[in-house]
Amino acid sequence: MTQNTPFSLDPRFEGGSFLIRRLSLCQLRLQDDARWPWLVLIPEVADVREIIDLSETDQAALLADIRTACDLVKLLAAQTGFAVQKLNVANLGNIVGQLHVHVIARHEGDENWPGPVWGFGQAVAHEAGERERLVMALRSVV
Amino acid sequence: MTQNTPFSLDPRFEGGSFLIRRLSLCQLRLQDDARWPWLVLIPEVADVREIIDLSETDQAALLADIRTACDLVKLLAAQTGFAVQKLNVANLGNIVGQLHVHVIARHEGDENWPGPVWGFGQAVAHEAGERERLVMALRSVV
């Protein structure tokens, strides 16, 4: 019933993240939280909440985009002097149901290590110039 | 340097989960926490911490196993009368570094909705008979 609905981005992503570019399936966005190197992938497919709601072709494209985002979050971390010990790759969607995958760099001693980042404290917005620098650095390599 | 190391399961998985069976790449295990329908996938590949450390072939196999686990966690939820509103599919690994993917069913009003399950409160172990029943129910369909 929703096959003809065009894709639209949940406004909460517009407010809390910045578009880097479109990858094979997903929008790649910089999460507006300077506490961690944090990217978000949002498949540009309408009305999808779960990974398994995607076609298998789109799932494979999402996987390729996750690979790209994992490489890029390391670059993002390098730009901010954040030493990466572990990546967290996750689809939760308990708050914003539109399908999205978080790709976050973590290290021992970070703001909530070893706990999860979601729901922890308050986001620390990037300063505008710094955000622009980071978005440009990421755009230059994808 | 570790190419010839055989796969071995981190003992913390032995203690906190139960083997259902091996899928295409992964051990599929029932997490010993009755608060949520909760499965864990552990690729049987030695010395791997990140999804992107797997070969692309193994990543595709992991994706297939995630699909299976998503279907099975719904079955697990049905067995325990847990109404599924959202799946959480995540690789964190901040505590146990061996690569593993959580597949968890969630609903509004569950023990920590809409927050994440990791690090929240104390696990509630399955009663032995109930655990056996659930493992058998899952084994009967995969």
Side-chain angles (χ1 to χ4, degrees), chain B:
Chain B
M1 65 181 180
T2 52
Q3 287 157 329
N4 298 313
T5 310
F7 168 79
S8 67
L9 190 69
D10 188 295
R12 289 168 285 186
F13 290 119
E14 298 276 6
S17 62
F18 303 97
L19 182 65
I20 296 164
R21 68 169 73 249
R22 189 180 193 284
L23 301 180
S24 60
L25 180 73
C26 301
Q27 284 193 15
L28 174 70
R29 302 182 68 95
L30 174 68
Q31 181 85 356
D32 195 13
D33 191 337
R35 296 176 296 171
W36 294 279
W38 187 340
L39 300 174
V40 183
L41 293 166
I42 302 142
E44 289 196 329
V45 179
D47 297 316
V48 174
R49 288 167 50 88
E50 302 288 356
I51 294 169
I52 53 170
D53 293 341
L54 293 172
S55 69
E56 293 198 15
T57 302
D58 282 352
Q59 288 176 27
L62 172 61
L63 179 58
D65 287 353
I66 287 172
R67 277 197 290 274
T68 301
C70 287
D71 289 338
L72 287 175
V73 84
K74 291 179 186 175
L75 178 77
L76 177 59
Q79 287 284 329
T80 58
F82 185 104
V84 182
Q85 275 184 283
K86 187 68 191 75
L87 302 181
N88 290 175
V89 178
N91 162 237
L92 279 71
N94 306 335
I95 294 174
V96 178
Q98 181 171 41
L99 180 61
H100 60 285
V101 175
H102 300 273
V103 178
I104 305 157
R106 304 296 307 271
H107 68 211
E108 204 175 324
D110 73 25
E111 293 261 339
N112 197 36
W113 180 269
V117 304
W118 307 279
F120 175 77
Q122 296 298 312
V124 176
H126 288 285
E127 184 273 320
E130 173 69 354
R131 176 236 301 166
E132 192 69 6
R133 184 181 76 81
L134 297 173
V135 169
M136 287 300 146
L138 293 170
R139 278 187 189 152
S140 72
V141 294
V142 280

Side-chain angles (χ1 to χ4, degrees), chain A residues 13-113:
Chain A
F13 291 120
E14 297 276 7
S17 63
F18 303 97
L19 181 65
I20 297 163
R21 69 169 72 249
R22 191 181 192 281
L23 301 180
S24 60
L25 181 72
C26 301
Q27 284 193 14
L28 174 70
R29 302 182 68 94
L30 174 68
Q31 181 84 356
D32 195 14
D33 191 338
R35 295 176 297 171
W36 295 280
W38 187 340
L39 300 174
V40 183
L41 292 166
I42 302 143
E44 289 195 331
V45 179
D47 297 315
V48 174
R49 287 168 50 88
E50 303 288 355
I51 294 169
I52 54 170
D53 294 341
L54 293 171
S55 68
E56 293 199 15
T57 302
D58 282 351
Q59 288 176 28
L62 172 61
L63 180 58
D65 287 353
I66 287 172
R67 276 197 290 273
T68 301
C70 287
D71 289 339
L72 287 175
V73 85
K74 292 179 184 174
L75 177 78
L76 177 60
Q79 287 284 330
T80 57
F82 185 105
V84 182
Q85 274 184 284
K86 187 69 191 75
L87 303 180
N88 289 176
V89 179
N91 162 238
L92 279 70
N94 305 334
I95 294 174
V96 179
Q98 181 171 42
L99 180 60
H100 60 285
V101 176
H102 300 274
V103 177
I104 305 157
R106 305 295 307 271
H107 67 211
E108 205 175 323
D110 73 24
E111 293 262 338
N112 197 35
W113 180 269

